[in-house]
């Protein structure tokens, strides 16, 4: 199908024939479903770990990291196959992918500062700490953060 | 949609579709020609004129609060005549003062220097300079203006509501802005402010998407990216900044609307107001500042970049010399655009931001000095030993460079968190950003208006008034803002309406009077410019030659007053970069001229 | 291949053509989606920032464990996985609609677009049920030394840390009759509401099994705001996607695209719809999985 209305388009896309197209779509659908199932399995594992007596925080963190990576994989397949970005020429792919790099610093700085806000409040706002810090079973009380330097205010 | 598509296939492919369009409907009604116009040139003029109206309002507001700052003891009965209880006894009341400051900031930053500046010149220049018949989507372009118009109406209406306009500062920080009970300005005025801003964001997105797609897709044959005139590059980066950062402000504003109206706690925590303990818990006011400045910092480049681009063009044309370091200009604009996204938290050093994170932001912020300096040196070397024609446009462009240097240097002070802790929220900050972002961008805008007025209306602006406008504004800007540095270094806070309580600031009382008087004069001169503008549209000296400035770019290959579609015949093809001035013994060589066999390389 | 050779030989940036080999409409749609990604990104990142600023955050498996018609069965993540699959499948049907458009197959476009709309509506219905369930949910929460029954709204969050038995036992003494009846009813469905109402507070308290009664402290308030705010904003996108698809469907039926010679509008609507799916992938991650 040509688009005579768009002369800015130099090379008209050759659309895949039905068979290979359906194969590709089927493959991607199965892939997305499998990844989602794995994600759910990990989610439930986190649940079971949390229910246990002494949750292994490191393991939970690892699982969460895995889910994030799997989600990125899903996003990749949706964008590249369903949205056909993978079929575009390289210029186009770059113009979409490169600006998304801004998210790295966007996410890092926001999370970093959110975390810092928590630490600051735990240090300087005793009420906040007492009312919101969950009591963990069988865990030593964490080392108290250094009290604010007493001095002339 | 399909009609638009048909027009635009021509733009890219050089088919002469224009005839179908231009002559197909020869009699456009007044409404479709001047009001709901889809012609990029008309839309540009609409943005400009709306911007001028806003600039008068915003400027007038600054004169009003300068009256209070300069003459806190004096009563001006005329104010009471006009503003009633807002100026009881002829003195500006606190709520009024904060409303004035807020609307002054919002209006000038967004409505004048974003919509009025890049809305005007992106619309006017992009299709003309890249060789396109119109924007990629003229319809969305028209919508962009009308969303801006509706936003304007809503913002304007907020001035007339009983409890007054939003008064939380142009940054609209919560918790103040999130709590109705905090004051009159936090009532309906703030809701209107938020709605107007949301519509403004929609407008700026529609515009920005159009500018980007047009610049990328609609360039005429031979107009490779490195042959684009610098204003187009500047508009391109501006649009990219807007498209990627305005949505973040939208998110921040939506969360603020929720906090105000639905009882959520995004920004609110641990608040006692008027003796009442609020149930909100767990939110973070710093979060709003992060979201705001994620837009807010790119915003200052959204304002500044178009001015930089136009100044580059105007300096080169009027120095009759090629722009110095074209690729360096591109590179520095690119790095400014990238860095603009990475430095937002330098506005937040005193908020409780993590100090180490702050130091990362200091580093990234100071990096901006590098591309900025490159640009300054390039402008200066463009002027160096040039054959300068001191037209009003050229004067304003040179003034821009001066202001950008003075204002940019104080940015280095403020970018250092250690110094910023002393200077934060003082008059020093006011001086810095007014010079570097406010006045400098205005100078870029004035330069653009004087330079492209002949293209817009087929007439010239009056030169004598233009020179008067330049010199008074230039001297006035420095007289107004330079002393504020001293006030700020001495610790004088901004935003305060009455500083008589501090003995230490009494020494500045006369200085403040002087600033106020000068700002009134400067404001009057701007009104003179507005007169010049409207008078010259109808009565100005007529342009008689197609290329009055002897410039190389494509807009001067069109008729003196081009119709919709810009070129009557085929769109010209481009064979060279736009800055072949004083080359091989010729004063200028337009972009459309093929490269000769014996031509020297630039 | 011939095409590959042309791709490499073409001077993409020289002007007179699109450097991306795309018509401007699709380009604008892509960039619009990019800016929308920043809108959603800002929401989700704000959520992350707030979540990192809290000492405690509810476990999604505890919050999202209901399934329509399954009563009080504990089925963590079951319902949301259904919602996720609905959206994935509707994305697949959209791909097929776009493909049918490429071939100019009007019947195919109508068929697959129709299924996509059904998928979108199904997703919205699921979301409506979930919101309703959360808002009207009855959870025992320890508030100021007594027990209250509250649901998940934007102002209050019932998913704090589990309270210990002594605190709960003490709190029961201060709890209102109404709430006690409710709590007793949750533990023992055999007795009717009226019968329980007739009992004294003491009888009610003794009938409540502390082991089965999960009483929590109040959780972080921001949870509700972000959950409803972001899923609501996403739901709004789904709704507008459905509306766009319905418009596309009517236009297809009226042969608008057939006459135009191409179904590019379907492609643009498709991009938007996939984007909605893409956002859900991240919403799913941020609210339900981690």
């Amino acid at each position: 199908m040509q688009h005579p209305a768009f002369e800015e388009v130099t090379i008209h896309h050759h659309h895949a024939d039905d068979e290979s197209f359906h194969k590709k779509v089927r493959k991607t659908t199965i892939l997305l479903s499998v990844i989602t199932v794995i994600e759910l399995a990990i989610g439930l594992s986190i649940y079971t770990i949390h229910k246990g007596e002494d949750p292994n925080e490191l393991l939970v963190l690892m699982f969460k990291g895995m889910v994030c990576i799997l989600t990125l994989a899903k996003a990749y397949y949706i964008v590249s196959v369903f949205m056909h970005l993978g079929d575009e020429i390289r210029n186009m792919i770059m113009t979409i992918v490169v600006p998304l790099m801004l998210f790295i610093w966007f996410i890092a700085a926001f999370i970093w500062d959110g975390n810092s806000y928590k630490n600051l409040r735990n240090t300087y706002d005793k009420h906040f700490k007492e009312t919101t810090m969950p009591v963990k079973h069988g865990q030593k009380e964490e080392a108290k953060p250094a009290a604010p330097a007493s001095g002339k205010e | 949609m399909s009609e638009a598509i048909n027009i635009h296939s021509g733009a890219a492919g050089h088919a002469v579709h224009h005839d179908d369009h231009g002559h197909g409907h020869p009699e456009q009604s007044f409404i479709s020609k001047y009001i709901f116009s889809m012609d990029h040139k008309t839309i540009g003029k609409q943005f400009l004129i709306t911007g001028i109206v806003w600039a008068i309002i915003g400027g007038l507001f600054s004169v009003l609060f300068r009256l209070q700052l300069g003459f806190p003891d004096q009563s001006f009965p005329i104010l009471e005549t006009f503003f009633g209880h807002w100026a009881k006894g002829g003195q500006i009341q606190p709520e009024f003062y904060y409303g004035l400051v807020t609307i002054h900031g919002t209006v000038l930053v967004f409505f004048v220097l974003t919509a009025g500046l890049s809305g005007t010149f992106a619309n006017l220049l992009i299709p003309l300079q890249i060789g396109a018949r119109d924007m990629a989507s003229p319809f969305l372009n028209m919508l962009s203006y009308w969303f801006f118009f509706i936003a304007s109406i809503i913002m304007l209406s907020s001035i007339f509501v009983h409890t007054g306009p939003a008064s939380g500062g142009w940054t609209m920080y919560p918790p103040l802005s999130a709590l109705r009970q905090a004051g009159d300005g936090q009532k309906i005025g703030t809701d209107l402010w938020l709605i107007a801003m949301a519509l403004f964001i929609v407008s700026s997105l529609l515009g920005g998407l159009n500018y980007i797609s047009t610049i990328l897709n609609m360039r005429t044959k031979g107009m490779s990216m490195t042959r684009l005139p610098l204003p187009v590059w500047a508009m391109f980066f501006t649009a990219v900044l807007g498209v990627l950062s305005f949505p973040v402000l939208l998110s921040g504003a939506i969360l603020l609307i929720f906090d105000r109206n639905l009882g959520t706690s995004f920004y609110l925590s641990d608040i006692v107001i008027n003796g009442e303990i609020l149930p909100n818990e767990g939110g973070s006011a710093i979060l709003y500042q992060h979201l705001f400045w994620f837009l807010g910092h790119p915003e200052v480049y959204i304002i500044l970049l178009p001015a930089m681009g136009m100044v580059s063009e105007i300096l080169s044309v009027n120095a009759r010399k090629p722009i110095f370091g074209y690729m360096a200009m591109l590179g520095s604009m690119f790095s400014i655009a990238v860095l603009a996204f990475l430095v937002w938290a330098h506005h937040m050093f005193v908020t409780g931001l993590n100090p180490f994170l702050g130091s990362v932001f200091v580093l990234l912020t100071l990096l901006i000095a590098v591309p900025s300096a490159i640009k300054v040196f390039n402008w200066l070397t463009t002027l160096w030993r040039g054959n300068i024609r001191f037209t009003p446009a050229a004067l304003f462009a040179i003034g821009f460079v001066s202001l950008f240097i003075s204002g940019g240097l104080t940015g280095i002070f403020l970018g250092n968190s250690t110094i910023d802790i002393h200077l934060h929220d003082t008059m020093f900050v006011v001086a810095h950003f007014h010079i570097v972002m406010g006045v400098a961008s205005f100078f870029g805008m004035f330069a653009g208006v004087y330079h492209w007025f002949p293209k817009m209306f087929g007439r010239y602006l009056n030169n004598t008034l233009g020179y008067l406008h330049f010199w008074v504004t230039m001297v006035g800007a420095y007289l107004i803002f330079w002393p504020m540095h001293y006030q700020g270094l001495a610790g004088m806070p901004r935003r305060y309406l009455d500083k008589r309580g501090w003995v230490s600031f009494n020494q500045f009382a006369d200085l403040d009077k002087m600033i106020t008087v000068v700002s009134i004069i400067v404001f009057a001169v701007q009104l003179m410019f507005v007169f010049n503008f409207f008078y010259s549209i109808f009565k100005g000296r007529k342009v008689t030659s197609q290329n009055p400035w002897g410039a190389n770019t494509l807009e001067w290959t069109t008729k003196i007053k081009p119709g919709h579609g810009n070129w009557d015949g085929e769109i010209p093809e481009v064979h060279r970069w736009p800055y072949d001035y004083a080359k091989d013994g010729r004063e200028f060589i337009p972009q459309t001229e093929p490269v000769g066999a014996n031509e020297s390389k630039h | 291949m011939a095409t590959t050779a042309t791709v490499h030989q073409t001077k993409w940036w020289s002007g007179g053509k699109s450097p991306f080999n795309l018509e401007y409409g699709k380009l604008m749609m892509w960039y619009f989606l990019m800016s929308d990604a920043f809108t959603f990104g800002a929401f989700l990142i704000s959520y992350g920032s707030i979540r990192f600023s809290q000492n405690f955050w509810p476990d999604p498996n505890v919050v999202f464990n209901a399934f329509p018609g399954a009563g009080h069965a504990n089925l963590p993540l079951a319902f949301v996985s259904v919602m996720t699959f609905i959206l994935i499948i509707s994305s697949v049907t959209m791909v097929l609609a776009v493909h049918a458009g490429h071939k100019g197959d009007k019947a195919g476009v109508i068929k697959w677009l129709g299924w996509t709309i059904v998928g979108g509506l199904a997703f919205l219905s699921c979301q409506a049920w979930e919101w309703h369930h959360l808002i009207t949910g009855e959870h025992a929460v320890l508030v100021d030394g007594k027990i209250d029954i509250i649901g998940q709204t934007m102002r209050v969050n019932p998913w704090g840390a589990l309270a210990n038995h002594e605190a709960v036992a003490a709190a029961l003494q201060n709890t209102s009759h109404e709430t006690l009846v409710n709590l007793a009813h949750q533990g023992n469905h055999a007795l009717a509401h009226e019968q329980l109402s007739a009992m004294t507070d003491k009888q009610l308290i003794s009938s409540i099994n502390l082991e089965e009664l999960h009483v929590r402290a109040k959780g972080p308030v921001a949870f509700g705001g972000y959950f409803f705010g972001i899923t609501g904003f996403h739901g709004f996108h789904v709704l507008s996607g459905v509306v766009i698809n319905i418009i596309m469907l009517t236009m297809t039926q009226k042969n608008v695209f057939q006459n135009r010679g191409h179904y590019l509008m379907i492609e643009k609507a498709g991009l938007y719809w996939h984007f909605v799916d893409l956002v859900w992938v991240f919403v799913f991650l941020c609210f339900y999985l981690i």
Side-chain angles (χ1 to χ4, degrees), chain B residues 210-231:
Chain B
N210 234 329
Y211 307 153
I212 296 174
S213 330
T214 309
I215 294 172
L216 291 174
N217 256 19
M218 302 294 175
R219 283 166 291 125
T220 181
K221 222 176 238 168
M223 182 61 91
S224 63
M225 294 303 271
T226 46
R227 284 179 184 167
L228 285 175
L230 286 171

Side-chain angles (χ1 to χ4, degrees), chain B residues 557-579:
Chain B
T557 62
T558 59
K559 278 196 304 192
I560 290 174
K561 285 181 91 171
H564 193 181
N566 297 339
W567 285 269
D568 280 344
E570 280 202 30
I571 299 180
E573 199 172 317
V574 164
H575 299 281
R576 58 175 75 236
W577 78 322
Y579 298 106

Side-chain angles (χ1 to χ4, degrees), chain B residues 55-70:
Chain B
I56 295 172
I57 297 174
L60 178 70
F61 282 12
S62 70
V63 168
L64 290 176
F65 64 69
R66 269 318 310 183
L67 278 181
Q68 162 66 28
L69 289 173

Side-chain angles (χ1 to χ4, degrees), chain A residues 5-8 99 102 105-106 109-110 112-113 116-117 120-121, chain B residues 5 9 13 217 286 290 341-342 344 352-354 356-357 360-361:
Chain A
F6 295 102
E7 296 186 22
E8 65 219 72
L102 290 175
W105 180 231
F106 191 0
F110 270 62
W112 186 348
D113 199 40
S116 150
Y117 187 45
L120 285 172
R121 280 199 294 179
Chain B
I5 286 164
S9 55
N217 256 19
I286 304 177
H290 273 300
F341 281 111
L342 310 180
W344 72 86
L353 177 82
N354 181 300
F356 184 67
L357 183 61
V360 179
F361 277 101

Side-chain angles (χ1 to χ4, degrees), chain B residues 350-497:
Chain B
V350 298
T351 55
L353 177 82
N354 181 300
F356 184 67
L357 183 61
S359 69
V360 179
F361 277 101
V362 171
L363 174 70
L364 290 165
T365 303
L366 295 183
L367 281 180
I368 298 185
V370 177
S372 308
I374 292 176
K375 292 193 77 74
V376 166
F377 290 131
N378 284 345
W379 287 318
L380 295 180
T381 32
T382 302
L383 288 170
W384 179 250
R385 305 188 69 178
N387 187 11
I388 306 175
R389 296 184 310 210
F390 288 102
T391 62
L395 284 177
F396 273 108
I398 295 168
F400 170 90
V401 178
S402 156
L403 289 159
F404 183 67
I405 295 170
S406 339
L409 287 174
T410 51
I412 299 176
F413 291 49
L414 293 168
N416 283 291
S417 53
T418 38
I419 305 175
D420 183 68
I421 288 168
H422 173 61
L423 293 176
H424 188 88
D425 255 346
T426 64
M427 295 307 280
F428 190 91
V429 180
V430 176
H432 160 70
F433 73 75
H434 273 92
I435 292 181
V436 77
M437 170 182 104
V439 185
S441 305
F442 256 107
F443 270 49
M445 189 172 173
F446 288 136
V449 172
Y450 281 101
H451 190 75
W452 279 288
F453 195 85
K455 192 78 260 166
M456 284 192 251
F457 300 103
R459 288 169 189 271
Y460 294 96
L461 282 162
N462 182 301
N463 262 358
T464 316
L465 291 181
Y467 290 128
L468 189 61
H469 179 208
F470 168 75
W471 285 111
V472 175
T473 313
M474 184 75 195
V475 174
Y478 273 119
L479 280 178
I480 293 170
F481 295 113
W482 197 266
M484 289 186 189
H485 291 108
Y486 302 114
Q487 298 181 329
L489 284 168
M492 186 195 266
R494 67 193 274 214
R495 298 205 171 95
Y496 286 27
L497 83 157

Side-chain angles (χ1 to χ4, degrees), chain A residues 21-86:
Chain A
F21 170 77
H22 283 296
K23 213 170 124 191
K24 198 172 173 189
V25 170
R26 200 176 309 129
K27 201 182 116 198
T28 314
T29 314
I30 292 171
L31 214 66
L32 288 176
S33 313
V34 169
I35 295 177
T36 309
V37 170
I38 297 173
E39 284 180 339
L40 288 167
I42 295 177
L44 291 174
S45 328
I46 295 176
Y47 178 49
T48 359
I49 297 172
H50 267 304
K51 269 207 306 199
E53 268 304 294
D54 186 10
N56 184 343
E57 293 298 336
L58 192 71
L59 194 64
V60 170
L61 205 64
M62 217 180 68
F63 273 144
K64 287 183 175 176
M66 275 164 67
V67 188
C68 290
I69 293 167
L70 288 172
T71 297
L72 288 178
K74 262 163 78 174
Y76 167 77
Y77 281 109
I78 292 175
V79 175
S80 132
V81 179
F82 284 180
M83 295 169 91
H84 294 292
L85 188 62

